[in-house]
Coordinates of all heavy atoms in Angstrom, one line a residue:
M200 N -8.3 -1.8 29.2 CA -8.2 -0.9 28.0 C -6.8 -0.2 28.0 O -6.5 0.4 28.9 CB -9.3 0.1 28.0 CG -9.4 1.1 26.9 SD -10.1 0.4 25.4 CE -11.8 0.3 25.8
S201 N -6.2 -0.3 26.9 CA -4.9 0.4 26.7 C -5.1 1.4 25.5 O -6.0 1.2 24.7 CB -3.8 -0.6 26.3 OG -3.6 -1.5 27.3
S202 N -4.2 2.4 25.5 CA -4.3 3.3 24.4 C -2.8 3.8 24.2 O -2.0 3.7 25.0 CB -5.2 4.5 24.7 OG -4.7 5.3 25.8
I203 N -2.7 4.3 23.0 CA -1.4 5.0 22.6 C -1.8 6.4 22.1 O -3.0 6.7 21.8 CB -0.7 4.2 21.5 CG1 -1.5 4.0 20.3 CG2 -0.2 2.9 22.1 CD1 -0.8 3.3 19.1
E204 N -0.8 7.2 21.9 CA -1.0 8.5 21.4 C -0.3 8.7 20.0 O 0.8 8.2 19.8 CB -0.4 9.6 22.3 CG -1.3 9.7 23.6 CD -0.9 10.9 24.4 OE1 0.1 11.6 24.1 OE2 -1.6 11.2 25.4
I205 N -1.1 9.3 19.1 CA -0.6 9.6 17.7 C -0.7 11.1 17.4 O -1.4 11.8 18.2 CB -1.3 8.7 16.7 CG1 -2.8 9.1 16.6 CG2 -1.1 7.2 16.9 CD1 -3.6 8.4 15.5
T206 N -0.1 11.5 16.4 CA -0.3 12.9 15.9 C -1.1 12.8 14.6 O -0.8 12.0 13.7 CB 1.1 13.5 15.7 OG1 1.7 13.7 16.9 CG2 0.9 14.9 15.0
V207 N -2.1 13.7 14.4 CA -2.9 13.7 13.2 C -2.7 15.1 12.6 O -2.8 16.1 13.3 CB -4.4 13.5 13.5 CG1 -5.2 13.5 12.3 CG2 -4.5 12.1 14.2
I208 N -2.5 15.1 11.3 CA -2.4 16.3 10.5 C -3.7 16.4 9.6 O -3.9 15.5 8.8 CB -1.1 16.4 9.7 CG1 0.1 16.3 10.6 CG2 -1.1 17.7 8.8 CD1 1.4 16.1 9.9
D209 N -4.5 17.4 9.7 CA -5.7 17.5 8.9 C -5.4 18.1 7.5 O -4.3 18.4 7.2 CB -6.8 18.2 9.6 CG -6.5 19.7 9.8 OD1 -5.7 20.3 9.0 OD2 -7.2 20.4 10.6
R210 N -6.5 18.2 6.7 CA -6.3 18.6 5.3 C -5.8 20.1 5.2 O -5.4 20.5 4.1 CB -7.6 18.4 4.5 CG -8.0 17.0 4.4 CD -9.2 16.7 3.5 NE -9.5 15.3 3.4 CZ -10.5 14.8 4.1 NH1 -11.2 15.5 5.0 NH2 -10.7 13.5 4.1
E211 N -6.0 20.8 6.3 CA -5.5 22.2 6.3 C -4.0 22.3 6.8 O -3.5 23.4 6.9 CB -6.4 23.1 7.1 CG -7.7 23.5 6.5 CD -8.7 22.3 6.3 OE1 -8.9 21.6 7.3 OE2 -9.2 22.1 5.2
G212 N -3.5 21.2 7.1 CA -2.1 21.2 7.6 C -2.0 21.4 9.1 O -0.9 21.6 9.7
V213 N -3.1 21.4 9.8 CA -3.1 21.7 11.3 C -2.7 20.3 12.0 O -3.3 19.3 11.7 CB -4.5 22.1 11.8 CG1 -4.5 22.3 13.3 CG2 -4.8 23.5 11.1
E214 N -1.7 20.4 12.8 CA -1.2 19.2 13.5 C -1.7 19.1 14.9 O -1.7 20.1 15.6 CB 0.3 19.4 13.5 CG 1.1 18.1 13.9 CD 2.6 18.3 13.7 OE1 3.0 18.8 12.6 OE2 3.3 17.9 14.6
T215 N -2.3 17.9 15.2 CA -2.8 17.7 16.5 C -2.1 16.6 17.2 O -2.2 15.4 16.8 CB -4.3 17.3 16.5 OG1 -5.1 18.3 15.8 CG2 -4.9 17.2 17.9
P216 N -1.2 16.9 18.2 CA -0.5 15.8 18.9 C -1.3 15.2 20.0 O -2.4 15.8 20.3 CB 0.8 16.5 19.4 CG 0.3 17.9 19.6 CD -0.8 18.2 18.6
G217 N -1.0 14.1 20.5 CA -1.6 13.5 21.7 C -3.0 13.0 21.4 O -3.8 13.0 22.3
V218 N -3.3 12.6 20.2 CA -4.6 12.0 19.9 C -4.6 10.6 20.4 O -3.7 9.8 20.2 CB -4.9 12.0 18.4 CG1 -6.2 11.3 18.0 CG2 -4.9 13.4 17.8
D219 N -5.6 10.3 21.2 CA -5.7 9.0 21.9 C -6.3 7.9 21.0 O -7.4 8.1 20.4 CB -6.7 9.3 23.1 CG -6.9 8.1 23.9 OD1 -5.9 7.5 24.4 OD2 -8.0 7.7 24.2
W220 N -5.6 6.8 20.8 CA -6.0 5.6 20.0 C -6.2 4.4 20.9 O -5.2 4.0 21.5 CB -5.0 5.4 18.9 CG -5.3 4.3 17.9 CD1 -6.5 3.5 17.9 CD2 -4.5 3.8 16.9 NE1 -6.4 2.6 16.9 CE2 -5.2 2.7 16.2 CE3 -3.3 4.2 16.4 CZ2 -4.7 2.0 15.2 CZ3 -2.7 3.5 15.3 CH2 -3.5 2.4 14.7
E221 N -7.4 4.0 21.1 CA -7.7 2.9 22.0 C -7.5 1.5 21.3 O -7.7 1.4 20.1 CB -9.1 3.1 22.6 CG -9.1 4.3 23.4 CD -10.5 4.6 24.0 OE1 -11.5 4.0 23.7 OE2 -10.6 5.6 24.8
D222 N -7.2 0.5 22.2 CA -6.8 -0.8 21.6 C -7.9 -1.6 20.9 O -7.6 -2.6 20.3 CB -6.1 -1.6 22.7 CG -7.0 -1.9 23.9 OD1 -8.2 -1.5 23.9 OD2 -6.6 -2.5 24.8
D223 N -9.2 -1.2 21.1 CA -10.2 -1.9 20.4 C -10.7 -1.2 19.1 O -11.7 -1.5 18.5 CB -11.4 -2.1 21.3 CG -12.1 -0.7 21.8 OD1 -11.4 0.3 21.6 OD2 -13.2 -0.8 22.3
E224 N -9.9 -0.2 18.7 CA -10.3 0.5 17.5 C -9.3 0.3 16.3 O -8.1 0.1 16.5 CB -10.2 2.1 17.8 CG -11.2 2.5 18.8 CD -10.9 4.0 19.2 OE1 -9.8 4.4 19.3 OE2 -11.9 4.7 19.4
S225 N -9.8 0.3 15.1 CA -8.9 0.5 13.9 C -8.5 2.0 14.0 O -9.0 2.8 14.7 CB -9.7 0.2 12.6 OG -10.7 1.2 12.4
L226 N -7.5 2.3 13.1 CA -7.1 3.7 13.1 C -8.2 4.6 12.6 O -8.4 5.7 13.0 CB -5.8 3.8 12.1 CG -5.3 5.2 11.9 CD1 -5.0 5.9 13.2 CD2 -4.1 5.2 11.0
M227 N -9.0 4.1 11.6 CA -10.2 4.8 11.1 C -11.1 5.1 12.3 O -11.6 6.3 12.4 CB -10.9 4.0 10.0 CG -12.2 4.7 9.5 SD -13.6 4.2 10.5 CE -14.0 2.6 9.9
E228 N -11.4 4.2 13.1 CA -12.4 4.4 14.2 C -11.8 5.4 15.2 O -12.6 6.2 15.7 CB -12.7 3.0 14.9 CG -13.5 2.1 14.0 CD -13.6 0.7 14.5 OE1 -12.6 0.2 15.2 OE2 -14.6 0.0 14.3
C229 N -10.5 5.4 15.4 CA -9.9 6.4 16.3 C -10.1 7.8 15.7 O -10.5 8.7 16.4 CB -8.4 6.1 16.4 SG -7.4 7.4 16.9
L230 N -9.8 7.9 14.4 CA -10.0 9.2 13.7 C -11.4 9.7 13.8 O -11.6 10.9 14.1 CB -9.5 9.2 12.3 CG -8.0 8.8 12.1 CD1 -7.7 8.6 10.6 CD2 -7.1 10.0 12.7
V231 N -12.4 8.9 13.5 CA -13.8 9.3 13.6 C -14.2 9.7 15.0 O -14.8 10.7 15.2 CB -14.7 8.1 13.1 CG1 -16.1 8.4 13.4 CG2 -14.4 7.9 11.6
R232 N -13.8 8.9 16.0 CA -14.1 9.2 17.4 C -13.5 10.5 17.8 O -14.1 11.3 18.6 CB -13.7 8.1 18.3 CG -14.0 8.3 19.8 CD -13.6 7.2 20.7 NE -12.2 6.8 20.6 CZ -11.2 7.5 21.0 NH1 -11.3 8.6 21.7 NH2 -9.9 7.0 20.8
N233 N -12.4 10.8 17.3 CA -11.7 12.1 17.7 C -12.2 13.2 16.7 O -11.5 14.3 16.7 CB -10.2 11.9 17.6 CG -9.7 11.2 18.9 OD1 -9.6 11.8 20.0 ND2 -9.4 9.9 18.7
S234 N -13.2 13.0 16.0 CA -13.9 14.1 15.2 C -13.0 14.6 14.0 O -13.2 15.8 13.6 CB -14.3 15.2 16.1 OG -15.2 14.8 17.1
F235 N -12.1 13.8 13.5 CA -11.4 14.2 12.3 C -12.3 13.9 11.1 O -13.2 13.0 11.1 CB -10.1 13.5 12.2 CG -9.1 14.0 13.2 CD1 -8.9 13.3 14.4 CD2 -8.4 15.2 13.0 CE1 -8.0 13.8 15.3 CE2 -7.6 15.7 14.0 CZ -7.3 15.0 15.1
P236 N -12.2 14.7 10.0 CA -13.1 14.5 8.9 C -12.9 13.3 8.0 O -12.5 13.4 6.8 CB -12.9 15.9 8.1 CG -11.5 16.2 8.4 CD -11.2 15.7 9.8
I237 N -13.1 12.2 8.5 CA -13.0 10.9 7.8 C -14.5 10.4 7.6 O -15.2 10.2 8.6 CB -12.2 9.9 8.7 CG1 -10.7 10.3 8.7 CG2 -12.4 8.5 8.2 CD1 -9.9 9.9 7.5
L238 N -14.9 10.2 6.4 CA -16.3 9.8 6.2 C -16.5 8.3 6.4 O -17.5 7.9 7.0 CB -16.7 10.1 4.8 CG -16.7 11.6 4.4 CD1 -17.1 11.8 3.0 CD2 -17.8 12.3 5.3
A239 N -15.5 7.4 6.0 CA -15.6 6.0 6.3 C -17.0 5.5 5.8 O -17.7 4.7 6.5 CB -15.4 5.7 7.7
I240 N -17.3 5.8 4.6 CA -18.7 5.5 4.0 C -19.0 4.0 4.0 O -20.1 3.6 4.3 CB -18.8 6.0 2.6 CG1 -18.9 7.6 2.7 CG2 -20.0 5.4 1.8 CD1 -18.8 8.2 1.3
C241 N -18.0 3.2 3.8 CA -18.2 1.7 3.7 C -18.2 1.0 5.1 O -18.4 -0.2 5.2 CB -17.2 1.0 2.7 SG -15.6 0.8 3.4
G242 N -17.9 1.8 6.1 CA -17.9 1.2 7.5 C -16.7 0.4 7.8 O -16.8 -0.4 8.8
G243 N -15.7 0.5 7.0 CA -14.4 -0.2 7.4 C -14.2 -1.4 6.6 O -13.5 -2.3 7.0
N244 N -14.8 -1.6 5.5 CA -14.8 -2.8 4.6 C -13.8 -2.7 3.5 O -13.8 -3.5 2.6 CB -16.1 -3.2 4.1 CG -17.0 -3.6 5.2 OD1 -16.6 -4.4 6.1 ND2 -18.2 -3.1 5.3
A245 N -12.9 -1.7 3.5 CA -11.9 -1.6 2.5 C -12.5 -1.5 1.1 O -12.0 -2.1 0.1 CB -10.8 -2.7 2.5
S246 N -13.6 -0.7 1.0 CA -14.2 -0.6 -0.4 C -14.5 0.8 -0.8 O -15.1 0.9 -1.9 CB -15.4 -1.5 -0.4 OG -16.4 -1.2 0.5
C247 N -14.2 1.8 0.0 CA -14.7 3.1 -0.4 C -13.6 4.2 -0.6 O -13.8 5.1 -1.3 CB -15.7 3.7 0.6 SG -15.0 4.2 2.2
S248 N -12.5 4.0 0.1 CA -11.3 4.9 0.1 C -11.5 6.2 0.9 O -10.6 7.0 0.9 CB -10.8 5.2 -1.3 OG -11.5 6.2 -1.9
T249 N -12.7 6.4 1.5 CA -12.9 7.7 2.2 C -12.2 7.8 3.5 O -12.2 8.8 4.2 CB -14.4 8.0 2.4 OG1 -15.0 7.0 3.2 CG2 -15.1 8.2 1.1
C250 N -11.4 6.7 3.9 CA -10.6 6.7 5.1 C -9.1 6.8 4.7 O -8.3 6.7 5.6 CB -10.9 5.5 6.0 SG -10.3 4.0 5.2
H251 N -8.9 7.1 3.4 CA -7.5 7.1 3.0 C -6.7 8.2 3.7 O -7.1 9.3 3.8 CB -7.5 7.4 1.4 CG -6.2 7.7 0.8 ND1 -6.0 8.7 -0.1 CD2 -5.0 7.1 1.0 CE1 -4.7 8.7 -0.5 NE2 -4.1 7.8 0.2
S252 N -5.5 7.8 4.2 CA -4.6 8.7 4.8 C -3.1 8.3 4.5 O -2.9 7.2 4.0 CB -4.9 8.8 6.3 OG -6.1 9.3 6.5
F253 N -2.2 9.1 5.0 CA -0.8 8.9 4.8 C -0.1 8.7 6.1 O -0.4 9.4 7.1 CB -0.1 10.0 4.1 CG -0.9 10.5 2.8 CD1 -1.6 11.7 2.8 CD2 -0.9 9.7 1.7 CE1 -2.3 12.1 1.7 CE2 -1.6 10.1 0.6 CZ -2.3 11.3 0.6
L254 N 0.7 7.7 6.2 CA 1.5 7.4 7.5 C 2.9 8.0 7.3 O 3.4 8.1 6.2 CB 1.5 5.9 7.8 CG 0.2 5.2 8.0 CD1 0.5 3.7 8.3 CD2 -0.6 5.8 9.1
D255 N 3.5 8.2 8.4 CA 5.0 8.5 8.4 C 5.7 7.2 8.0 O 5.1 6.1 8.1 CB 5.5 9.0 9.7 CG 5.4 8.0 10.8 OD1 4.3 7.8 11.4 OD2 6.4 7.2 11.0
Q256 N 6.9 7.3 7.4 CA 7.5 6.1 6.8 C 7.7 5.0 7.8 O 7.5 3.8 7.5 CB 8.9 6.6 6.3 CG 9.7 5.5 5.6 CD 8.9 5.0 4.3 OE1 8.4 5.7 3.6 NE2 8.9 3.6 4.2
V257 N 8.1 5.3 9.0 CA 8.4 4.2 10.0 C 7.1 3.5 10.3 O 7.0 2.3 10.4 CB 9.0 4.8 11.3 CG1 9.0 3.7 12.4 CG2 10.4 5.3 11.0
S258 N 6.0 4.3 10.6 CA 4.7 3.6 10.9 C 4.1 2.9 9.7 O 3.5 1.8 9.9 CB 3.7 4.7 11.3 OG 4.2 5.4 12.5
F259 N 4.4 3.3 8.5 CA 4.0 2.6 7.3 C 4.5 1.2 7.3 O 3.8 0.2 7.1 CB 4.4 3.4 6.1 CG 4.0 2.7 4.8 CD1 2.6 2.8 4.3 CD2 4.9 1.9 4.1 CE1 2.2 2.2 3.2 CE2 4.5 1.3 2.9 CZ 3.2 1.4 2.4
V260 N 5.8 1.1 7.6 CA 6.5 -0.2 7.7 C 5.9 -1.0 8.9 O 5.6 -2.2 8.7 CB 8.0 -0.1 7.8 CG1 8.7 -1.4 8.0 CG2 8.6 0.6 6.6
T261 N 5.8 -0.4 10.0 CA 5.3 -1.1 11.2 C 3.8 -1.6 11.0 O 3.5 -2.7 11.5 CB 5.2 -0.1 12.4 OG1 6.6 0.4 12.6 CG2 4.7 -0.8 13.7
A262 N 3.0 -0.9 10.3 CA 1.6 -1.3 10.1 C 1.5 -2.6 9.3 O 0.4 -3.2 9.3 CB 0.9 -0.1 9.4
G263 N 2.5 -3.0 8.6 CA 2.5 -4.3 7.9 C 1.9 -4.3 6.5 O 1.7 -3.3 5.9
E264 N 1.7 -5.5 6.1 CA 1.3 -5.8 4.7 C -0.1 -5.2 4.4 O -1.0 -5.1 5.2 CB 1.1 -7.3 4.6 CG 2.4 -8.1 4.7 CD 3.4 -7.9 3.5 OE1 2.9 -8.1 2.4 OE2 4.5 -7.6 3.7
I265 N -0.2 -4.8 3.1 CA -1.4 -4.4 2.5 C -2.1 -5.6 1.8 O -1.5 -6.2 1.0 CB -1.2 -3.2 1.5 CG1 -0.6 -2.0 2.2 CG2 -2.5 -2.9 0.8 CD1 -0.2 -0.9 1.3
D266 N -3.3 -5.9 2.2 CA -3.9 -7.1 1.6 C -4.5 -6.8 0.2 O -4.5 -5.6 -0.2 CB -4.9 -7.8 2.6 CG -6.2 -7.0 2.7 OD1 -6.5 -6.1 1.9 OD2 -7.0 -7.3 3.6
E267 N -5.0 -7.8 -0.4 CA -5.4 -7.6 -1.8 C -6.6 -6.6 -2.0 O -6.6 -5.8 -2.9 CB -5.9 -9.0 -2.3 CG -5.7 -9.1 -3.8 CD -6.0 -10.6 -4.3 OE1 -5.3 -11.5 -3.7 OE2 -6.8 -10.8 -5.2
D268 N -7.6 -6.7 -1.1 CA -8.7 -5.8 -1.2 C -8.3 -4.3 -1.0 O -8.7 -3.5 -1.8 CB -9.8 -6.1 -0.1 CG -10.5 -7.4 -0.4 OD1 -10.4 -7.9 -1.5 OD2 -11.1 -7.9 0.6
E269 N -7.4 -4.1 0.0 CA -6.9 -2.7 0.2 C -6.1 -2.3 -1.0 O -6.2 -1.1 -1.5 CB -6.1 -2.6 1.5 CG -5.6 -1.2 1.7 CD -4.9 -1.0 3.0 OE1 -4.7 -2.0 3.8 OE2 -4.4 0.1 3.3
A270 N -5.3 -3.1 -1.5 CA -4.4 -2.8 -2.7 C -5.3 -2.4 -3.9 O -4.9 -1.5 -4.6 CB -3.5 -4.0 -3.0
D271 N -6.4 -3.1 -4.1 CA -7.2 -2.8 -5.2 C -7.8 -1.4 -5.1 O -7.9 -0.6 -6.0 CB -8.4 -3.8 -5.3 CG -7.9 -5.1 -5.8 OD1 -6.8 -5.2 -6.3 OD2 -8.7 -6.1 -5.7
V272 N -8.2 -1.0 -3.8 CA -8.8 0.3 -3.6 C -7.7 1.4 -3.8 O -7.9 2.4 -4.5 CB -9.4 0.4 -2.2 CG1 -9.9 1.8 -1.9 CG2 -10.6 -0.5 -2.1
L273 N -6.5 1.1 -3.2 CA -5.5 2.1 -3.4 C -5.1 2.3 -4.8 O -4.8 3.4 -5.3 CB -4.2 1.7 -2.5 CG -4.4 1.8 -1.0 CD1 -3.2 1.1 -0.3 CD2 -4.6 3.2 -0.5
D274 N -5.1 1.2 -5.6 CA -4.8 1.3 -7.0 C -5.8 2.1 -7.8 O -5.5 2.6 -8.9 CB -4.7 -0.1 -7.6 CG -3.4 -0.9 -7.2 OD1 -2.5 -0.2 -6.7 OD2 -3.4 -2.1 -7.4
S275 N -7.0 2.2 -7.3 CA -8.1 3.0 -8.0 C -7.9 4.5 -7.7 O -8.6 5.2 -8.4 CB -9.4 2.5 -7.5 OG -9.7 3.0 -6.2
L276 N -7.1 4.9 -6.8 CA -6.9 6.3 -6.5 C -6.1 7.0 -7.7 O -5.3 6.3 -8.3 CB -6.1 6.5 -5.2 CG -6.8 6.0 -4.0 CD1 -5.8 6.2 -2.8 CD2 -8.1 6.8 -3.7
N277 N -6.4 8.3 -7.9 CA -5.6 9.0 -8.9 C -4.1 9.1 -8.4 O -3.9 9.1 -7.2 CB -6.1 10.4 -9.0 CG -7.5 10.5 -9.6 OD1 -7.9 9.6 -10.3 ND2 -8.2 11.5 -9.2
D278 N -3.2 9.2 -9.4 CA -1.8 9.4 -9.0 C -1.6 10.6 -8.1 O -0.7 10.6 -7.3 CB -1.0 9.5 -10.3 CG -0.8 8.2 -11.0 OD1 -1.2 7.1 -10.4 OD2 -0.4 8.2 -12.1
S279 N -2.4 11.6 -8.3 CA -2.2 12.8 -7.5 C -2.7 12.6 -6.1 O -2.3 13.4 -5.2 CB -3.0 14.0 -8.2 OG -4.4 13.7 -8.2
E280 N -3.5 11.6 -5.8 CA -4.0 11.3 -4.5 C -3.1 10.4 -3.7 O -3.0 10.5 -2.5 CB -5.4 10.8 -4.5 CG -6.4 11.7 -5.1 CD -7.8 10.9 -5.3 OE1 -7.8 9.7 -5.6 OE2 -8.8 11.6 -5.2
R281 N -2.5 9.4 -4.4 CA -1.8 8.4 -3.8 C -0.3 8.8 -3.5 O 0.3 9.4 -4.3 CB -1.9 7.1 -4.6 CG -1.3 5.9 -3.9 CD -1.5 4.6 -4.5 NE -1.0 3.6 -3.7 CZ -1.0 2.3 -4.0 NH1 -1.6 1.9 -5.1 NH2 -0.5 1.4 -3.2
E282 N 0.2 8.4 -2.4 CA 1.6 8.6 -2.1 C 2.2 7.2 -1.6 O 1.5 6.3 -1.3 CB 1.7 9.6 -0.9 CG 1.2 11.0 -1.4 CD 1.5 12.1 -0.4 OE1 2.2 11.8 0.6 OE2 0.9 13.2 -0.6
P283 N 3.5 7.2 -1.5 CA 4.1 5.9 -1.2 C 3.7 5.3 0.2 O 3.7 4.1 0.4 CB 5.6 6.2 -1.1 CG 5.8 7.3 -2.1 CD 4.5 8.1 -1.9
T284 N 3.2 6.2 1.1 CA 2.8 5.7 2.4 C 1.3 5.8 2.6 O 0.8 5.8 3.7 CB 3.5 6.4 3.5 OG1 3.1 7.8 3.5 CG2 5.0 6.3 3.5
S285 N 0.6 5.7 1.5 CA -0.9 5.7 1.5 C -1.4 4.4 2.2 O -0.9 3.3 1.9 CB -1.5 5.8 0.1 OG -1.4 7.1 -0.4
R286 N -2.4 4.5 3.0 CA -3.1 3.4 3.6 C -4.6 3.7 3.7 O -5.0 4.9 3.9 CB -2.6 3.0 5.0 CG -1.2 2.4 5.0 CD -1.1 1.0 4.3 NE -2.1 0.1 4.7 CZ -1.9 -0.9 5.7 NH1 -0.7 -1.0 6.3 NH2 -2.8 -1.8 6.0
L287 N -5.4 2.6 3.8 CA -6.8 2.8 4.2 C -6.8 2.6 5.7 O -6.4 1.6 6.2 CB -7.7 1.7 3.6 CG -7.8 1.8 2.0 CD1 -8.7 0.7 1.5 CD2 -8.2 3.1 1.5
T288 N -7.1 3.7 6.4 CA -7.0 3.6 7.9 C -7.9 2.6 8.6 O -7.6 2.1 9.7 CB -7.2 5.0 8.5 OG1 -8.5 5.5 8.2 CG2 -6.1 6.0 8.1
C289 N -8.9 2.2 7.9 CA -9.8 1.1 8.4 C -9.1 -0.2 8.5 O -9.6 -1.1 9.2 CB -11.1 1.0 7.7 SG -11.0 0.4 6.0
Q290 N -8.0 -0.4 7.7 CA -7.3 -1.7 7.7 C -6.1 -1.7 8.6 O -5.3 -2.6 8.6 CB -6.9 -2.0 6.2 CG -8.1 -2.0 5.3 CD -9.1 -3.1 5.7 OE1 -8.8 -4.3 5.9 NE2 -10.3 -2.6 6.0
I291 N -5.9 -0.6 9.4 CA -4.8 -0.6 10.3 C -5.2 -0.9 11.7 O -6.0 -0.1 12.3 CB -4.1 0.8 10.2 CG1 -3.6 1.0 8.7 CG2 -2.9 0.9 11.1 CD1 -3.0 2.3 8.5
A292 N -4.7 -2.0 12.2 CA -5.1 -2.4 13.6 C -4.2 -1.7 14.6 O -3.0 -1.4 14.3 CB -4.9 -3.9 13.7
W293 N -4.8 -1.5 15.8 CA -4.0 -0.9 16.9 C -2.8 -1.8 17.2 O -2.9 -3.0 17.2 CB -4.9 -0.8 18.1 CG -4.4 -0.1 19.3 CD1 -4.5 1.2 19.6 CD2 -3.6 -0.7 20.4 NE1 -3.9 1.5 20.8 CE2 -3.3 0.3 21.3 CE3 -3.2 -2.0 20.7 CZ2 -2.6 0.1 22.5 CZ3 -2.5 -2.2 21.8 CH2 -2.2 -1.1 22.7
D294 N -1.7 -1.1 17.5 CA -0.5 -1.8 17.8 C 0.4 -0.9 18.7 O 0.6 0.3 18.3 CB 0.3 -2.2 16.5 CG 1.5 -3.0 16.7 OD1 2.2 -2.9 17.8 OD2 1.8 -3.8 15.8
T295 N 0.9 -1.4 19.8 CA 1.7 -0.5 20.6 C 2.9 0.1 19.9 O 3.3 1.2 20.2 CB 2.3 -1.2 21.9 OG1 2.9 -2.4 21.4 CG2 1.2 -1.5 22.9
D296 N 3.4 -0.6 18.9 CA 4.5 -0.1 18.1 C 4.1 1.1 17.2 O 5.0 1.7 16.6 CB 5.1 -1.2 17.2 CG 5.8 -2.3 18.0 OD1 6.2 -2.0 19.1 OD2 6.0 -3.4 17.5
L297 N 2.8 1.4 17.1 CA 2.4 2.6 16.3 C 2.3 3.8 17.2 O 1.9 4.9 16.7 CB 1.1 2.3 15.6 CG 1.2 1.3 14.5 CD1 -0.2 0.9 13.9 CD2 2.0 1.9 13.3
A298 N 2.6 3.7 18.5 CA 2.6 4.9 19.3 C 3.6 5.9 18.7 O 4.7 5.6 18.3 CB 3.1 4.5 20.7
G299 N 3.1 7.2 18.6 CA 3.9 8.3 18.1 C 3.7 8.4 16.6 O 4.4 9.2 15.9
A300 N 2.9 7.5 16.0 CA 2.7 7.6 14.5 C 2.2 9.0 14.1 O 1.5 9.7 14.9 CB 1.7 6.6 14.1
V301 N 2.6 9.4 12.9 CA 2.0 10.7 12.4 C 1.2 10.3 11.2 O 1.6 9.7 10.2 CB 3.2 11.6 12.0 CG1 2.6 12.9 11.4 CG2 4.1 12.0 13.2
V302 N -0.1 10.7 11.3 CA -1.1 10.3 10.3 C -1.6 11.6 9.6 O -2.1 12.5 10.3 CB -2.3 9.6 10.9 CG1 -3.3 9.2 9.9 CG2 -1.8 8.4 11.7
R303 N -1.4 11.7 8.3 CA -1.9 12.9 7.6 C -3.1 12.5 6.8 O -3.1 11.5 6.0 CB -0.8 13.4 6.6 CG -1.2 14.7 5.9 CD 0.1 15.4 5.4 NE 1.0 14.5 4.8 CZ 1.0 14.2 3.5 NH1 0.1 14.7 2.7 NH2 1.9 13.3 2.9
I304 N -4.2 13.1 7.0 CA -5.5 12.7 6.4 C -5.5 13.0 4.9 O -5.1 14.1 4.5 CB -6.7 13.5 7.1 CG1 -6.8 13.0 8.5 CG2 -8.0 13.2 6.3 CD1 -7.8 13.7 9.4
G305 N -5.9 12.0 4.1 CA -5.9 12.1 2.7 C -6.9 13.0 2.1 O -7.8 13.5 2.8
P306 N -6.7 13.4 0.8 CA -7.6 14.3 0.2 C -9.0 13.7 0.0 O -9.1 12.4 0.0 CB -7.0 14.6 -1.2 CG -6.1 13.4 -1.4 CD -5.7 12.9 -0.1
F307 N -10.0 14.5 -0.3 CA -11.3 13.9 -0.6 C -11.3 13.3 -2.0 O -10.5 13.7 -2.8 CB -12.4 15.0 -0.6 CG -12.9 15.4 0.7 CD1 -12.7 16.7 1.2 CD2 -13.5 14.5 1.6 CE1 -13.1 17.0 2.5 CE2 -14.0 14.8 2.8 CZ -13.8 16.1 3.3
Ligands
FES1778 S1 -13.8 3.0 5.6 FE1 -14.2 2.5 3.5 S2 -12.2 1.9 2.8 FE2 -11.9 2.4 4.9

């Protein structure tokens, strides 16, 4: 089992460094296990948007392509909710290159 550390910023702006992300988890599963307020209602199927969060710019590029299902869900968000680095965290796979990522939890 390998893990990396990321920083998470919650909806109140509180920053938590050193959050452990294990290699068998999606980013959503990491956030849920670490008790961040991610509902993940659809269970990671890219259909609910309750795992929506923002990545730092470098990690957004590292995380790779957004597939069609995720793009459809992101397109359904209000303009006020979506940002250029919006992602569904359930669609982000663990990657050593994401060590040090800064993840800001999206609005409800
Ligand atoms: S958990 Fe539903 S879209 Fe990610």
